[in-house]
């Protein structure tokens, strides 16, 4: 069929099952937006800043398991996507970003709104393309979606010059992708799996340490089966949260810097660590050569480059986590570790995850949101203290229920990602747990949510500080509060919400918390932002200082 | 352990591939000692030979990262195998009446060639391993080298093995 490049782009997306595009138009994308004018089967959510588009596509992808799509014009449109693309790259989230580009004859001539976006995004995309021949467009779009969602998922960018959008082509969508440089291994080596099962059977103090790979490969059922059969306690990273039910008796919660004391002690004393779809991030390991010194490590990951990057495993298995864990669950012996379980139970009694004091505490707010939503909300976070408290005090039972910028740690992620999540999950209550610092980084996206009638809830844990940095200054820089007190100018968040056409609520007393949350839950046609004036000087505990060990852990 | 590594990379013959590969080294602060790129017997495939100095473990990581690039088909670190390696150099050396005979003799011993000649200079072409080229340059330098250029090292495995 004869069509323009712009029509071919939309048709290719249709073939890939795209339901929604988060975008912002501009000169170099006019032909595509002209096609969108008549498009009814693909929804377009207009953001108010391109960074919001990238995060919304990311939030959509995390909440749905599908590929998220964002779109921006050339030059500043593309550069505004960069933080969102880097966020998705660090957390292995499948998104396809489309950027307009100046016409091919003008590329490289510093034309108006020209930026070398393929050059800029080279180190933060799984792959990227500059299309110079419209005939290649269908194949490239097909490849882009394939690359984004397979193997270790990640963002792919397609840069589309304006004349390519206008060129006429014969549209033929390829059935298969042929990429000779890309053949991700999905099936783990049978002999290695056999050996892993033997190691698990022989272990006395095993711990499973699971990450985002559990979510990416949808391996929760297999993981639960393995843990229960072999009686192995499980700690899930921030990226893996929900991949093993937080309320399961074998759950240790999160490991690492702000993980539970018992998860960290268990890793420290384990004789076998089964690392599944995770990458031994410094926020988990602390001082690397002191990490889990008594343990042999089995490392399962779909990305061979992760194996041996930070920790040399005794047994590496390259493969899809779901497949490998499924095999392991069948092969391990039924087992019980009563002594090990009792040791962990003792740590749980001794160092429970809790907080002190009775005022309007941020932890209390999150716990009340958990109660009101019956633990079923999709929780999106910003970055900082709000993020860690959300991870600690909102137990999750499902994958794709807790969305957070783990690797890049992007402040301003939460609100636009919540918009994407709400589009993906209209059936669920979606909450952005925010700080008063983070929320101001993409506050303009309130307008997008209002325009799209999305009932996202924003809970601002307002302490007048860039709280996590303030915490570090307090603990490690002699309380020299350098440029982290932002209480001198805090916008009136209630008025701000109202100015955007959203609902704003303010809570200053503990007794008002539950009522405000319930009020927010009643609103179903627009966003609601609650400004919780929480205790200012609360610290996130426990804490293993950066580069420290469990012996350095602060518990209160 | 830090050692010089010679890495062969088979890639799709497409724009931007070199930049992607080079970026992985630059990001980790590695200077590439030498680099040679050409198409192969298959016009869709190019071959890079990269010589770089660095700790084994970091280079293992770079090799794995290279493999992750969509356009990379194969990566081979020639660390522990016999290889044929060659470089080529062009050396423009000052050559006057007094030194011409000696230079010609030296060039002949090295099985190098004089490929251009002027009133005051010879241009010498030499191929071989790095040590041979170093040695010739060293001998020519006393006559005064005006300009020179060396190619990157190129490498193939010995015997029937292919990358």
């Amino acid at each position: 069929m004869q069509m323009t490049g712009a029509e071919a782009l939309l048709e290719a997306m249709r073939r890939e099952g795209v339901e929604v595009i988060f975008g912002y138009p501009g000169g170099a994308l006019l032909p595509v937006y002209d096609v969108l004018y008549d498009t009814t089967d693909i929804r377009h959510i207009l953001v108010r800043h391109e960074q919001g588009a990238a995060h919304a596509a990311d939030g959509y992808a995390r909440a749905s398991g599908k590929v998220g799509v964002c779109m921006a014009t050339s030059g500043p449109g593309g550069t505004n996507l960069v933080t969102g693309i880097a966020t998705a790259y660090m957390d292995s989230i499948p998104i396809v970003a489309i950027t307009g580009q100046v016409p091919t004859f003008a590329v490289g001539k510093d034309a108006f709104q020209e930026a070398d976006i393929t050059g800029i995004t080279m180190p933060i995309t799984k792959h990227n393309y500059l299309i110079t021949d419209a005939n290649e467009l269908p194949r490239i779009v097909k490849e882009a979606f394939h690359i984004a969602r397979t193997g270790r998922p990640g963002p792919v960018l397609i840069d589309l010059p304006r004349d390519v959008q206008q060129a006429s082509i014969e549209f033929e969508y390829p059935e298969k992708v042929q990429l000779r440089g890309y053949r991700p291994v999905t099936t783990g080596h049978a002999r290695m799996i056999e050996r892993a099962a033997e190691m698990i059977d022989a272990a006395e103090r095993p711990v499973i340490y699971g990450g985002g790979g559990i979510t990416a490969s949808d391996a929760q059922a297999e993981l639960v089966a393995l843990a229960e059969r072999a009686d192995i306690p499980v700690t899930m990273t921030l990226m893996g949260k929900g991949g093993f039910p937080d309320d399961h008796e074998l759950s240790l919660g999160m490991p690492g810097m702000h993980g539970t004391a018992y998860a960290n002690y268990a890793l420290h004393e384990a004789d076998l660590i089964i690392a599944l779809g995770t990458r031994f991030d410094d926020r988990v390991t602390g001082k690397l050569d002191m990490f889990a010194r008594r343990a042999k490590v089995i490392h399962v990951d779909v990305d061979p480059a992760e194996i041996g990057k930070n920790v040399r495993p005794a047994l590496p298995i390259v493969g899809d986590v779901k497949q490998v864990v499924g095999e392991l669950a069948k092969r391990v012996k039924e087992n019980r570790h009563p002594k090990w379980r009792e040791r962990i139970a003792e740590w749980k009694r001794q160092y429970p995850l809790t907080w002190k004091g009775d005022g309007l505490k941020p932890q209390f707010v999150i716990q009340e949101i958990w109660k009101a939503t019956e633990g079923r909300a999709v929780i999106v976070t910003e970055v900082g203290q709000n993020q860690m408290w959300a991870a600690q005090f909102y137990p999750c039972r499902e994958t794709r229920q807790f969305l957070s910028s783990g690797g890049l740690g992007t402040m301003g992620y939460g609100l636009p990602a919540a918009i994407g999540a709400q589009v993906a999950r209209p059936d669920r209550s979606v909450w952005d747990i925010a700080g008063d610092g983070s929320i101001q980084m993409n506050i303009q996206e309130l307008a997008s949510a209002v325009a799209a009638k999305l009932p996202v809830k924003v809970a601002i844990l307002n302490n007048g500080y860039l709280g996590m940095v303030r915490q570090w200054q307090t603990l490690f820089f002699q309380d020299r509060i350098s440029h982290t007190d932002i209480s001198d100018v805090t916008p009136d968040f209630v008025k701000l919400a109202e100015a955007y056409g959203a609902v704003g609520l303010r809570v200053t007393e503990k007794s008002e918390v539950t009522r405000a949350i319930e009020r927010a839950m009643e609103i179903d046609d627009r966003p609601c932002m609650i400004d919780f004036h929480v205790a200012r000087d609360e610290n996130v505990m426990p804490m293993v200082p950066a580069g420290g060990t469990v012996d350095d852990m602060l518990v209160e | 352990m830090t050692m010089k590594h010679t890495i062969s990379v088979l890639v799709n013959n497409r724009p931007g591939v070199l930049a992607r590969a080079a970026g992985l080294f630059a990001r980790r602060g590695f200077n590439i000692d030498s680099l040679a790129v050409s198409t192969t017997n298959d016009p869709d495939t190019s071959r890079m030979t990269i010589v770089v100095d660095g700790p084994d473990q970091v280079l293992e990581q770079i090799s794995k990262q290279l493999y992750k690039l969509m356009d990379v088909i194969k990566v081979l670190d020639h660390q522990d195998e016999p290889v044929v390696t060659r470089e080529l150099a062009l050396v423009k050396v000052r050559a006057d009446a007094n030194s011409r005979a000696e230079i010609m003799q030296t060039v002949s011993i090295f099985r190098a060639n004089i490929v251009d000649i002027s009133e005051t200079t010879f241009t010498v072409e030499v191929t071989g391993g790095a040590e041979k080229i170093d040695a010739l340059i060293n001998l020519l330098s006393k006559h005064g080298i005006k300009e020179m250029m060396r190619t990157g090292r190129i490498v193939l495995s010995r015997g029937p093995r292919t990358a």
Side-chain angles (χ1 to χ4, degrees):
Chain A
M1 205 165 69
Q2 204 73 16
M3 57 176 79
T4 65
E7 288 166 340
L9 175 70
L10 269 296
E11 182 55 31
M13 285 193 189
R14 205 167 275 126
R15 305 282 179 104
E16 293 299 325
V18 174
E19 309 163 320
V20 59
I21 297 169
F22 302 90
Y24 201 95
L29 265 183
L30 278 165
V32 170
Y33 270 85
D34 193 56
V35 178
L36 278 170
Y37 187 77
D38 297 318
T39 302
T40 51
D41 57 340
I42 297 178
R43 189 176 178 190
H44 180 272
I45 304 269
L46 179 64
V47 295
R48 294 303 188 269
H49 185 292
E50 290 90 347
Q51 187 186 346
H55 290 323
D58 169 311
Y60 172 86
R62 291 191 209 223
S64 68
K66 298 174 192 162
V67 179
V69 178
C70 59
M71 197 147 77
T73 192
S74 63
T79 56
N80 278 344
L81 290 178
V82 165
T83 300
I85 294 171
T87 302
Y89 185 71
M90 284 289 270
D91 290 345
S92 308
I93 304 304
I95 65 172
V96 169
I98 310 287
T99 49
Q101 183 54 279
V102 300
T104 45
F105 63 79
V107 168
K109 295 182 179 167
D110 301 330
F112 177 65
Q113 291 195 328
E114 184 189 357
D116 174 11
I117 198 66
T118 44
I120 289 169
T121 57
M122 211 174 262
I124 54 164
T125 50
K126 192 170 168 187
H127 194 54
N128 63 23
Y129 297 90
L130 167 64
I131 305 188
T132 52
D133 176 356
N135 291 301
E136 293 192 326
L137 192 146
R139 172 184 63 80
I140 286 174
V141 174
K142 174 101 187 166
E143 284 179 10
F145 278 84
H146 175 74
I147 290 167
R149 69 163 76 96
T150 53
R152 179 179 184 172
V156 180
L157 180 137
I158 301 173
D159 199 20
L160 200 55
R162 192 178 153 148
D163 55 332
V164 173
Q165 299 166 39
Q166 289 166 314
S168 180
I169 64 160
E170 179 63 34
F171 183 86
E172 214 180 305
Y173 206 57
E175 301 225 324
K176 274 192 185 159
V177 172
Q178 289 183 320
L179 290 162
R180 58 180 182 157
Y182 180 64
R183 290 199 193 91
V185 176
T186 51
T187 309
H189 195 282
R191 180 74 197 98
M192 296 296 229
I193 293 173
E194 194 78 38
R195 277 179 55 198
E198 287 162 14
M199 285 169 75
I200 292 170
D201 291 342
E204 289 173 4
R205 299 182 309 280
V207 174
I208 290 172
Y209 150 48
I214 300 291
T215 307
S217 71
D218 189 25
Q220 197 201 41
E222 289 79 2
L223 175 57
V224 171
L226 173 65
E228 288 180 351
R229 186 171 166 83
D231 194 38
I232 310 173
V234 180
T235 178
M236 296 298 286
T237 67
L238 186 73
M239 294 308 306
K241 189 173 166 69
F244 189 80
D246 276 326
D247 58 358
H248 195 287
E249 58 164 354
L250 285 166
S251 173
L252 296 169
M254 187 169 74
M257 183 175 280
H258 293 297
T260 61
Y262 36 94
N264 286 330
Y265 285 129
L267 285 169
H268 190 64
E269 289 200 5
D271 65 348
L272 179 70
I273 290 175
I274 304 133
L276 305 173
T278 191
R279 57 189 177 84
F280 296 89
D281 178 75
D282 54 88
R283 285 297 187 265
V284 169
T285 63
K287 191 175 163 65
L288 201 55
D289 47 11
M290 296 296 286
F291 174 72
R293 293 181 78 180
R294 296 171 181 82
K296 287 183 191 157
V297 172
I298 298 170
H299 192 179
V300 183
D301 206 288
V302 75
D303 180 1
E306 282 306 336
I307 298 201
K309 187 180 82 176
N310 293 327
V311 166
R312 290 257 154 201
L315 186 76
I317 303 178
V318 176
D320 178 63
V321 169
K322 185 183 180 76
Q323 186 268 334
V324 174
V325 177
E327 282 299 309
L328 280 175
K330 278 185 241 161
R331 288 177 198 223
V332 293
K333 293 200 183 93
E334 280 227 43
N335 210 342
R336 290 294 168 258
H337 306 99
K339 269 174 69 185
W340 180 225
R341 291 284 301 280
E342 179 45 40
R343 179 116 177 99
I344 288 169
E346 178 54 36
W347 286 322
K348 284 190 176 183
R349 282 191 291 272
Q350 205 176 342
Y351 306 102
L353 196 56
T354 184
W355 68 91
K356 287 212 168 100
D358 195 38
L360 178 38
K361 296 281 184 167
Q363 300 95 328
F364 174 76
V365 171
I366 291 164
Q367 192 181 69
E368 289 305 297
I369 294 172
W370 178 77
K371 281 185 192 159
T373 55
E374 296 167 340
R376 298 183 73 245
V378 174
I379 297 296
V380 189
T381 78
E382 302 285 346
V383 167
Q385 289 184 316
N386 60 79
Q387 177 186 34
M388 292 297 108
W389 284 319
Q392 290 177 335
F393 296 102
Y394 198 102
C396 294
R397 289 194 200 96
E398 303 166 31
T399 55
R400 309 199 174 283
Q401 201 193 340
F402 188 89
L403 322 181
S404 192
S405 169
L408 198 66
T410 308
M411 289 173 70
Y413 170 81
L415 177 56
I419 289 172
Q422 187 77 78
V423 171
R425 298 299 305 268
D427 57 319
R428 288 291 177 101
S429 182
V430 176
W431 285 77
D432 173 27
I433 308 294
D436 50 313
S438 285
I439 193 64
Q440 293 187 66
M441 283 209 179
N442 272 318
I443 190 79
Q444 78 287 343
E445 297 311 323
L446 267 182
S448 319
V450 171
K453 299 189 166 52
L454 297 169
V456 296
K457 328 293 180 204
V458 182
I460 303 175
L461 307 175
N462 184 349
N463 58 12
Y465 282 123
L466 305 176
M468 186 58 93
V469 181
R470 195 278 308 151
Q471 174 171 338
W472 285 50
Q473 289 172 339
T474 298
L475 295 173
F476 311 119
F477 289 83
Q478 298 80 44
D479 212 16
R480 287 154 56 87
I481 308 302
S482 179
H483 302 282
T484 47
D485 187 340
I486 55 171
S487 61
D488 52 347
V489 180
T490 303
D492 182 327
F493 286 113
V494 173
K495 281 189 192 161
L496 193 55
E498 287 168 355
Y500 276 111
V503 176
L505 304 171
R506 178 170 295 117
V507 173
T508 55
E509 299 295 331
K510 188 179 176 186
S511 58
E512 301 163 358
V513 170
T514 314
R515 176 74 199 103
I517 293 168
E518 282 167 1
R519 170 87 186 90
M521 301 278 287
E522 287 159 10
I523 299 161
D524 61 2
D525 61 346
R526 74 192 80 176
C528 177
M529 190 154 79
I530 315 177
D531 180 19
F532 292 99
H533 284 218
V534 298
R536 284 202 79 193
D537 295 312
E538 195 70 11
N539 290 331
V540 179
M541 289 293 154
M543 179 174 196
V544 179
T549 72
V550 280
D551 296 331
D552 307 318
M553 182 163 53
L554 313 168
V555 286
E556 62 184 79
Chain B
M1 202 172 69
T2 294
M3 258 186 93
K4 256 199 210 319
H5 289 247
T6 306
I7 303 167
S8 287
V9 191
L10 289 178
V11 300
N12 286 324
N13 184 10
R14 279 199 199 138
V17 180
L18 179 60
R20 287 176 203 277
L24 296 176
F25 291 89
R27 179 180 176 190
R28 292 169 177 82
F30 285 130
N31 193 20
I32 292 174
D33 284 353
S34 98
L35 171 70
V37 189
S38 79
T39 50
T40 62
N41 49 319
D42 170 7
D44 293 333
T45 305
S46 291
R47 183 173 178 127
M48 301 178 185
T49 307
I50 303 170
V51 181
V52 63
D53 224 342
D56 289 354
Q57 205 174 335
V58 182
L59 279 158
E60 180 192 320
Q61 180 58 212
I62 292 182
S63 294
K64 286 176 167 177
Q65 294 292 340
L66 279 169
Y67 246 124
K68 284 175 71 171
L69 298 177
M70 295 299 139
D71 286 320
V72 169
I73 300 153
K74 184 122 196 206
V75 181
L76 192 67
D77 189 335
H78 300 282
Q79 192 69 313
D80 303 309
E81 62 157 4
V83 289
V84 184
T85 83
R86 287 293 180 272
E87 290 175 35
L88 182 147
L90 292 173
V91 186
K92 191 174 286 185
V93 60
R94 197 183 306 277
D96 54 30
N98 298 327
S99 61
R100 290 200 169 213
E102 185 187 341
I103 293 173
M104 286 168 74
Q105 204 172 17
T106 308
V107 164
S108 155
I109 291 166
F110 276 82
R111 290 187 208 146
N113 297 308
I114 293 168
V115 291
D116 188 45
I117 185 163
S118 75
E119 294 286 332
T120 53
T121 62
F122 283 155
T123 299
V124 178
E125 173 215 301
V126 58
T127 61
E131 295 82 9
K132 173 182 167 184
I133 294 175
D134 289 344
L136 179 60
I137 289 170
N138 190 32
L139 285 170
L140 294 177
S141 61
K142 72 171 182 188
H143 303 289
I145 294 174
K146 292 170 71 72
E147 197 173 32
M148 63 165 279
M149 173 71 195
R150 271 170 98 148
T151 64
R153 185 182 303 177
I154 61 172
V155 172
L156 290 182
S157 305
R158 283 194 184 273
R161 188 172 172 217
T162 58

